[in-house]
């Protein structure tokens, strides 16, 4: 099953170095780009990642990036 395309653009988010975040991989979360548990009962699970540095990051909105949770521009081909 393919993930839902939440949007065909990245989400610009402020991350804090050393903090762990849970990126939505199913595309159904109301709190995009982060997980809110909407994947429950599906084959999807959130992707945990720890920010390496504080600042703005561009997280994938289309859920098809080859570099999740970060945008790699793949949304331009969907």
């Amino acid at each position: 099953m393919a993930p839902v395309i939440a949007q065909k653009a990245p989400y610009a988010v402020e991350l804090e170095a050393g903090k762990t975040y849970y990126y939505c991989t199913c595309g159904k979360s109301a709190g995009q780009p982060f997980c809110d548990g909407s994947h429950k009962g599906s084959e999807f699970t959130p992707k945990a990642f720890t920010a390496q540095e504080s600042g703005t990051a561009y997280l994938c909105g289309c859920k098809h990036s080859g570099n999740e949770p970060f945008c790699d521009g793949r949304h331009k081909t969907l």
Side-chain angles (χ1 to χ4, degrees), residues 11 24 27-38:
Y11 290 95
C24 169
K28 295 180 180 179
S29 174
Q32 289 294 332
F34 301 110
C35 178
D36 69 359
S38 294

Side-chain angles (χ1 to χ4, degrees), residues 15 28 31 43-44 54 70 72-73:
L15 301 180
K28 295 180 180 179
E43 64 194 65
F44 295 97
S54 294
F70 303 101
D72 68 358

Side-chain angles (χ1 to χ4, degrees), residues 31-78:
Q32 289 294 332
F34 301 110
C35 178
D36 69 359
S38 294
H39 65 278
K40 292 202 186 327
S42 76
E43 64 194 65
F44 295 97
T45 57
K47 179 176 182 72
F49 72 99
T50 302
Q52 299 301 305
E53 56 187 46
S54 294
T56 304
Y58 295 90
L59 302 187
C60 176
C62 74
K63 311 304 175 184
H64 288 79
S65 174
N67 189 33
E68 281 187 343
F70 303 101
C71 177
D72 68 358
R74 191 161 302 174
H75 61 273
K76 295 175 186 173
T77 65
L78 299 176

